[in-house]
Amino acid sequence: MKFSAVVAAGIAMAGSAMAALDPIVIRGNAFYTNGSNDRFYIRGVDYQPGGSSNVSDPLADSDGCKRDVPVFKNLGVNAIRVYTVDNSADHDDCMSLLDDAGIYLLLDVNTPKQSLNRNEPGPSYNAAYLQAIFATVDAFKKYDNVLGFFSANEVINDVNSTATAPYVKAVTRDLKRYIKAQSSRTIPVGYSAADISQNRWQQMEYFNCGNESETIDMFGMNDYSWCGDSSFQVSGYQQNVENYGNYSIPMFFSEYGCNKVTPREFSEVETIYSSQMSPVYSGGLVYEYSQEANNYGLVKLNGDSVSYLTDFYNLKYALGNATDPSGSAGASTTRSKANCPSYEEGTWEVRGTDLPEVPSGAEKYFSDGAGKALGFNAPSTQWSSGNSSDSDSDSDSSSSASASSAGSTATSGSQSSAASTSTSKSKGGAGAVEVPSMMNSIYSLVLGGLFSLGLML
Ligand SMILES: *[C@@H]1O[C@H](CO)[C@@H](O)[C@H](O)[C@H]1NC(C)=O
Ligand SMILES: *[C@@H]1O[C@H](CO)[C@@H](O)[C@H](O)[C@H]1NC(C)=O
Ligand SMILES: *[C@@H]1O[C@H](CO)[C@@H](O)[C@H](O)[C@H]1NC(C)=O
Ligand SMILES: *[C@@H]1O[C@H](CO)[C@@H](O)[C@H](O)[C@H]1NC(C)=O
Ligand SMILES: *[C@@H]1O[C@H](CO)[C@@H](O)[C@H](O)[C@H]1NC(C)=O
Ligand SMILES: *[C@@H]1O[C@H](CO)[C@@H](O)[C@H](O)[C@H]1NC(C)=O
């Protein structure tokens, strides 16, 4: 199976093109290359040219991959995270370039139009939505270098959006069930969480508690707490290692790289890949590859050309000097699942452990498969209880789904939103609440066609 992409790409030379990667597997709270006892630490970069909320598919862009994969290799990464893909597109070229370069993929299955609506999760959890994300699984399950899928990113983005948690968990359950039924290989499913100190632990517990069929396989945290010349202690990493020391599944940074001090030195890299962190963490991904308005880039893209910024070299050398701890490095297979967190007014407003049932009409996908992938042209699935007949009318730029740009604040030291980099081409539309974004970014939703992007903090 893994060779078909190579053949399809028309690469005739047998030997050299067949550097097929082994899948990554999870044992206890760590990743391993299948068949090996050496841990796999994610050394990654987040990759979505145009910004993490740009509705474009970087893995369907063969020229873009030919331009960027050698740069990933030069940087020394073994994983990328992509926030949005077109499930109807062909990804063979990019996936085999990545595979040849020894690079795994972490993929968000949602798009701005096919995702849970934070403000009204119920109606947005529907069969059309599940069809879309299942079709995305279908498009990628054949690639052995898919490390895992994210069922959602930062849906809980504040203390007042915790009521969405059962929906996120239901989506996780459905994805796991779909993969079990429709994929020949187990592929991990995780959640990528916003950095909310008040309820982060409850999130971790909630997604880790209860029946295995409903729990996440890995936890990604978007964490910007190490800024400039910080330390294990000052950054809060040490506290996290202590607090989360009994977590039973792999944890890693799905986004890191505070830019309050620039150029970024990436002094945290040495600590992330040290034995201080390794009993609990398995590396992370730096936000982000390309320079966008919010100033988190490692390189500047311009057509076919790539210019390296100082951050690129700083990260490359930091990674180059950071050696993975050897052996199991404190990993454990005996930690138990968390207890479900209890209801807490204003912080964790979830009662009980019941999850929404699979929406009507979606049951058939588990047995029959998702069917035809509808790609970026599919109508929005973010239905609402008001469900006006024109709920999709925002799908072209005429309704100016424009995000207010954070560009101007990006250098002021505030955590600007990654989502804010979206251009006027963003098709986020009403309820684009699950747009990939960094901590503190919030989509405030105006039902009826417009959205605006508010920056918190
Ligand atoms: C790991 O390797 C074993 C033995 O080769 C194989 O049976 C198993 O299916 C592999 N697991 C995954 C997830 O690929
Ligand atoms: C952003 O998305 C649009 C398509 O929606 C695409 O044309 C554009 O190239 C993307 N931006 C970048 C920098 O990739
Ligand atoms: C949470 O509070 C923020 C700011 O107070 C508000 O903008 C947002 O709409 C609220 N979200 C929900 C889901 O109530
Ligand atoms: C866990 O969930 C599965 C699938 O729904 C079910 O078959 C099984 O009985 C459950 N196990 C427990 C202990 O509840
Ligand atoms: C982790 O588990 C051990 C053994 O059960 C216990 O002594 C310790 O207090 C736990 N630590 C945390 C942070 O929960
Ligand atoms: C280690 O860091 C130094 C100083 O930044 C750099 O010159 C060197 O190339 C790095 N080593 C590797 C293997 O990246």
Side-chain angles (χ1 to χ4, degrees), residues 35-343:
S36 145
N37 286 323
D38 290 329
R39 285 181 60 180
F40 178 84
Y41 296 88
I42 295 172
R43 291 171 171 254
V45 67
D46 295 317
Y47 181 53
Q48 193 82 39
S52 67
S53 70
N54 199 35
V55 182
S56 64
D57 180 349
L59 299 178
D61 178 359
S62 302
D63 291 339
C65 289
K66 280 180 199 132
R67 175 194 62 198
D68 295 331
V69 174
V71 183
F72 299 154
K73 212 171 171 179
N74 183 2
L75 181 60
V77 295
N78 62 14
I80 60 170
R81 173 185 185 181
V82 170
Y83 293 88
T84 297
V85 291
D86 176 342
N87 57 18
S88 68
D90 184 337
H91 303 98
D92 284 352
D93 281 359
C94 285
M95 291 307 290
S96 85
L97 285 168
L98 289 169
D99 190 77
D100 288 345
I103 295 171
Y104 290 89
L105 172 67
L106 281 150
L107 181 64
D108 289 79
V109 296
N110 296 283
T111 72
K113 284 200 299 180
Q114 278 78 37
S115 45
L116 291 177
N117 179 335
R118 178 182 300 124
N119 290 25
E120 227 188 334
S124 68
Y125 176 61
N126 56 57
Y129 165 63
L130 289 183
Q131 193 279 334
I133 63 172
F134 292 167
T136 300
V137 170
D138 286 345
F140 283 88
K141 66 189 182 188
K142 60 179 178 246
Y143 305 118
D144 276 352
N145 59 331
V146 173
L147 195 166
F149 295 114
F150 286 121
S151 58
N153 177 68
E154 299 196 351
V155 173
I156 301 160
N157 71 343
D158 209 335
V159 291
N160 65 352
S161 47
T162 57
T164 58
Y167 292 92
V168 174
K169 199 163 173 179
V171 174
T172 303
R173 169 198 67 196
D174 300 344
L175 279 168
K176 288 180 72 159
R177 186 176 159 204
Y178 188 79
I179 290 166
K180 200 167 185 181
Q182 296 289 335
S183 166
S184 58
R185 161 172 91 89
T186 302
I187 305 173
V189 176
Y191 176 64
S192 176
D195 184 9
I196 305 160
S197 55
Q198 297 94 323
N199 62 24
R200 185 196 259 173
W201 177 237
Q202 280 101 326
Q203 294 188 46
M204 291 173 60
E205 288 179 305
Y206 184 74
F207 293 121
N208 182 239
C209 74
N211 192 322
E212 178 87 37
S213 64
E214 303 172 346
T215 56
I216 53 170
D217 302 313
M218 57 186 185
F219 187 87
M221 43 174 69
N222 297 342
D223 181 312
Y224 292 84
S225 59
W226 184 305
C227 299
D229 188 21
S230 192
S231 70
F232 185 49
Q233 193 179 9
V234 171
S235 64
Y237 283 13
Q238 180 173 25
Q239 195 65 56
N240 289 351
V241 167
E242 286 168 14
N243 291 347
Y244 310 147
N246 281 352
Y247 207 50
S248 69
I249 54 171
M251 278 173 60
F252 57 95
F253 297 117
S254 36
E255 295 176 3
Y256 76 91
C258 170
N259 70 353
K260 281 183 183 166
V261 181
T262 57
R264 295 181 289 179
E265 297 287 347
F266 293 109
S267 55
E268 65 268 53
V269 166
E270 182 183 359
T271 301
I272 290 173
Y273 300 98
S274 74
S275 55
Q276 288 176 302
M277 301 279 284
S278 61
V280 182
Y281 285 83
S282 293
L285 302 107
V286 166
Y287 194 86
E288 69 179 318
Y289 177 69
S290 58
Q291 180 72 315
E292 310 295 344
N294 56 4
N295 203 33
Y296 281 89
L298 303 175
V299 304
K300 206 172 240 165
L301 298 177
N302 184 4
D304 290 338
S305 88
V306 180
S307 17
Y308 293 2
L309 303 173
T310 306
D311 285 23
F312 176 91
Y313 293 105
N314 289 348
L315 179 60
K316 174 182 159 84
Y317 297 144
L319 287 169
N321 280 299
T323 314
D324 291 342
S326 62
S328 71
S332 162
T333 53
T334 57
R335 294 174 194 168
S336 25
K337 281 198 173 311
N339 294 320
C340 293
S342 35
Y343 183 95

